């Protein structure tokens, strides 16, 4: 009893009731007999045993005395028997909103209900709960998880102290302090973590890599996909090992792990100490450029842009935003801590939204040379932002990688003297989403475009611990290759 209160404060009534019933039956007493002995109504004791009423301390002490058990015995948190545990599970399952919504009758787990039937019912409810959780992994659930993860990243300025420290220790152990991390260096990291890498022609199509924890192997495809840096894939895969990841329990957990291994790989490819020295020197010269960071560490422009967002606010006091945008203007990745107004849906998600056609990440595709670095000032109503944007070609098409800062911080960057100016009034439809009145008057009613649907944004999230991965293929693959061990 917490603080000596005259009730069973903090007690799980769903367990207390069955413990009282179990002790009463062990003494050979009926409910009516116990009620008479403690001087209370039988209906009250029935409610207590069924977990619907909380007994006061004085009544609980009287019950314990008549049943000849200590009060502490009745208050133990575990059910008194396997049968009682099943009854409790069934009662809780039938009390859930999901079951209530089905409009089905409630099964009372009385003494005449066979234990095997009780086990079957509890098993069905558990499967119902699991299936409900799987169905909940919809695009909306994914967008909410993305929004929550992005908010957490913003709160820490996209800087992960623990991962930086871990990557720093591993870098020291393998002798990588600055400059590009070579394939030999990646091999040293792999061996340091106790693994070997094998490239195979039969890696399941649903995977980029597979970790065999039993034999300490990492399997990769023989040839990397277009636009992918093989070093990054190895380091991201090793990140799960180094960070001690276990099977994700939800889609949000899956996303968090993906962000963490991406960060881990980038922190090894672009070590914090060397990168911060490089960036501080560039800032002092007012010569910051994502291109230079990319070239100094021999990484992709996107990796350099990501790494800049990790370090810019923490070490340079520069708020920043990042975008990865397709040719159609759809946002694939985004981050901000500079109060830029990204388009969002009702869940707060950015991914899948279309950026204003006047933003740098969209305007770059209209340049005569779209692969040249593009600099632009954009007045977005709540402030003016300077952006540096570069288009990277991948196996999935061209993507604009955009890094931007508020006007006051443009002075630190190369390209600050650009004459390119734009103005965005989005989300006002008059900005770029509503056609000019004259055009609309000429063509409204006489056009019928065939929509190119973004199926990846509409489809349900594939079920499974690792969304979209065929577990059978993975296990069959490991079985084939483990035979060589």
């Amino acid at each position: 009893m917490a603080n000596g209160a005259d009730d069973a404060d903090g007690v799980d009534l769903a367990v207390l009731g069955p413990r009282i019933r179990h002790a009463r039956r062990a003494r050979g007493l009926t409910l009516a007999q116990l009620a008479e002995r403690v001087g209370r109504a039988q209906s009250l004791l029935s409610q207590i045993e069924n977990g619907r009423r909380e007994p006061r301390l004085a009544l609980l002490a009287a019950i314990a005395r008549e049943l000849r058990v200590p009060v502490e015995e009745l208050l133990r948190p575990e059910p008194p028997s396997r049968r009682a545990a099943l009854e409790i599970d069934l009662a809780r399952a039938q009390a859930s909103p999901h079951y209530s919504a089905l409009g089905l009758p409630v099964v009372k787990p009385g003494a005449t209900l066979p234990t095997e039937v009780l086990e079957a019912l509890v098993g069905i409810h558990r499967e119902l709960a699991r299936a409900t959780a799987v169905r909940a992994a919809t695009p909306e659930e994914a967008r909410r998880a993305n929004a929550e993860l992005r908010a957490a990243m913003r709160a820490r300025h996209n800087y992960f102290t623990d991962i930086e420290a871990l990557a720093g220790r591993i870098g020291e152990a393998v002798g990588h302090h600055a400059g590009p991390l070579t394939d030999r260096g990646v091999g040293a990291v792999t061996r340091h973590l106790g693994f070997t890498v094998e490239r195979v022609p039969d890696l399941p199509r649903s995977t980029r890599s597979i970790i065999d924890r039993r034999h300490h192997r990492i399997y990769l495809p023989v040839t990397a996909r277009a636009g992918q840096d093989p070093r990054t894939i190895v380091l991201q895969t090793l990140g799960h090992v180094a960070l001690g990841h276990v099977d994700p329990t939800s889609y949000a957990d899956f996303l968090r792990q993906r962000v963490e291994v991406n960060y881990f790989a980038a922190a090894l490819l672009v070590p914090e100490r060397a990168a911060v020295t490089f960036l501080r020197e560039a800032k002092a010269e007012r010569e910051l450029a994502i291109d230079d960071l990319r070239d100094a560490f021999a990484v992709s422009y996107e990796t350099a842009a990501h790494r800049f967002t990790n370090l810019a606010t923490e070490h340079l006091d520069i708020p920043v935003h990042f975008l990865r945008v397709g040719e159609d203007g759809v946002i694939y990745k985004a981050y901000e801590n500079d109060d830029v107004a990204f388009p969002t849906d009702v869940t707060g998600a950015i991914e899948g939204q279309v950026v204003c056609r006047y933003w740098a990440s969209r305007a770059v595709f209209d340049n005569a040379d779209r692969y040249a670095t593009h600099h632009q000032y954009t007045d977005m109503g709540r402030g003016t932002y300077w952006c540096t944007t570069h288009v990277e070609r991948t196996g999935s098409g061209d993507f604009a990688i955009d890094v931007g800062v508020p006007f006051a911080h443009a002075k630190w960057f190369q390209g600050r003297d650009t004459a390119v100016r734009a103005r965005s009034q989005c989300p006002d439809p008059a900005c770029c989403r509503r056609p000019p009145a004259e055009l609309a008057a000429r063509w409204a009613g006489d056009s019928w475009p065939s929509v190119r649907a973004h199926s990846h944004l509409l489809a349900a999230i594939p079920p499974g611990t690792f969304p979209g991965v065929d577990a059978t293929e993975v296990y069959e693959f490991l079985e084939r290759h483990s035979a060589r061990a």
Side-chain angles (χ1 to χ4, degrees), residues 120-422:
L121 288 173
V122 170
I124 290 171
H125 278 285
R126 287 173 179 165
E127 177 58 22
L128 176 63
R130 187 202 65 79
T132 301
V134 168
R135 286 198 299 272
T138 62
E140 179 180 353
E141 190 261 351
R143 290 194 294 271
R144 288 187 189 279
N146 260 323
E148 292 170 2
L149 180 59
R150 192 175 61 255
M153 293 165 66
R154 184 191 303 118
R156 64 195 307 164
H157 299 313
N158 204 21
Y159 180 80
F160 290 67
T161 306
D162 293 345
I163 300 179
E164 294 284 2
L166 175 62
R169 290 194 298 271
I170 293 174
E172 288 289 332
V174 301
H176 176 59
H177 309 288
L181 180 62
T182 63
D183 289 338
R184 179 180 295 179
V186 173
V189 172
T190 305
R191 290 190 296 275
H192 175 74
L193 292 173
F195 280 76
T196 60
V197 171
E198 292 194 23
R199 298 192 176 276
V200 294
D202 58 338
L203 197 74
R205 292 177 59 84
S206 61
T207 65
R208 293 194 309 169
S209 65
I210 293 177
I211 299 174
D212 178 351
R213 295 178 184 271
R214 183 180 303 168
H215 300 104
H216 296 274
R217 296 176 188 157
I218 292 175
Y219 292 103
L220 298 173
V222 173
T223 305
R225 295 176 183 173
Q228 288 185 340
D229 184 341
R231 298 174 305 165
T232 300
I233 303 301
V234 175
L235 294 174
Q236 288 172 343
T237 305
L238 286 170
H240 291 294
V241 176
L243 294 166
H245 284 168
V246 296
D247 288 358
T249 57
S250 65
Y251 191 71
D253 197 28
F254 169 77
L255 289 180
R256 176 189 58 78
Q257 290 185 3
R258 190 171 66 174
V259 165
E260 290 177 353
V261 298
N262 288 345
Y263 195 110
F264 174 81
L268 280 171
L269 289 166
V270 186
E272 179 181 23
R273 185 179 303 174
V276 170
T277 299
F278 179 87
L279 292 172
R280 282 177 173 164
E281 291 175 355
K283 182 185 179 186
E285 298 294 327
R286 300 191 176 215
E287 289 291 318
L288 282 172
I290 305 301
D291 310 65
D292 290 348
L293 186 64
R294 171 198 63 190
D295 296 342
F297 292 93
V299 294
S300 69
Y301 191 92
E302 183 173 352
T303 296
H306 270 301
R307 197 66 179 124
F308 184 79
T309 68
N310 299 152
L311 305 173
T313 306
E314 182 72 17
H315 293 290
L316 307 178
D317 297 320
I318 298 176
V320 65
H321 69 260
F322 166 89
L323 283 167
R324 184 177 191 258
V325 177
E327 291 185 74
D328 49 8
V330 172
I331 298 174
Y332 283 74
K333 295 180 184 177
Y335 165 78
E336 61 81 21
N337 69 351
D338 60 358
D339 293 325
V340 68
F342 285 149
T344 60
D345 64 11
V346 294
T347 69
I350 293 170
E351 292 76 12
Q353 300 300 298
V354 177
V355 302
C356 176
R357 67 174 62 250
Y358 302 119
W359 284 20
S361 53
R362 189 90 174 268
V364 67
F365 290 109
D366 294 328
N367 289 346
D369 181 2
R370 64 163 56 178
Y371 300 107
T373 300
H374 175 85
H375 302 118
Q376 175 179 317
Y377 288 98
T378 308
D379 182 356
M380 298 180 181
R382 63 194 299 175
T384 298
Y385 291 82
W386 175 89
C387 295
T388 177
T389 311
H390 181 82
V391 174
E392 281 197 325
R393 174 167 288 177
T394 75
S396 303
D398 284 359
F399 290 88
I401 308 301
D402 179 281
V403 173
V405 298
F407 177 84
H409 293 275
K411 62 186 178 183
W412 309 116
F413 291 82
Q414 297 178 32
R416 60 187 175 275
D417 55 352
T418 180
V420 179
R421 299 286 194 277

Side-chain angles (χ1 to χ4, degrees), residues 12-184:
D12 187 346
L13 300 183
V15 176
L16 175 61
R19 291 199 72 85
I20 293 174
R21 182 187 298 116
H22 182 79
R24 175 176 61 78
R25 289 174 176 171
R27 286 281 297 143
L29 295 175
T30 66
L31 193 62
Q33 289 171 330
L34 179 60
E36 183 180 356
R37 292 190 180 194
V38 298
R40 297 299 174 93
Q42 181 177 335
S43 58
L44 173 61
L45 265 61
S46 177
Q47 289 179 313
I48 292 172
E49 287 194 357
N50 288 312
R52 292 196 292 269
R53 283 287 296 271
E54 182 175 311
R56 290 186 176 276
L57 182 56
L59 174 56
L60 188 61
I63 291 173
R65 185 172 57 252
E66 293 300 327
L67 298 180
R68 299 182 183 178
V69 297
V71 172
E72 293 75 13
E73 177 70 19
L74 298 179
L75 293 176
R76 287 175 58 186
E78 66 273 6
S81 65
R82 166 66 177 160
R83 167 83 187 199
L86 290 170
E87 292 179 355
I88 292 169
D89 286 346
L90 181 61
R92 285 174 172 164
Q94 293 182 143
S96 72
H98 295 298
Y99 186 77
S100 299
L102 297 176
L104 297 174
V106 172
V107 177
K108 294 183 178 180
T112 59
L113 185 69
T115 299
E116 58 268 24
V117 174
L118 188 56
E119 289 178 338
L121 288 173
V122 170
I124 290 171
H125 278 285
R126 287 173 179 165
E127 177 58 22
L128 176 63
R130 187 202 65 79
T132 301
V134 168
R135 286 198 299 272
T138 62
E140 179 180 353
E141 190 261 351
R143 290 194 294 271
R144 288 187 189 279
N146 260 323
E148 292 170 2
L149 180 59
R150 192 175 61 255
M153 293 165 66
R154 184 191 303 118
R156 64 195 307 164
H157 299 313
N158 204 21
Y159 180 80
F160 290 67
T161 306
D162 293 345
I163 300 179
E164 294 284 2
L166 175 62
R169 290 194 298 271
I170 293 174
E172 288 289 332
V174 301
H176 176 59
H177 309 288
L181 180 62
T182 63
D183 289 338
R184 179 180 295 179

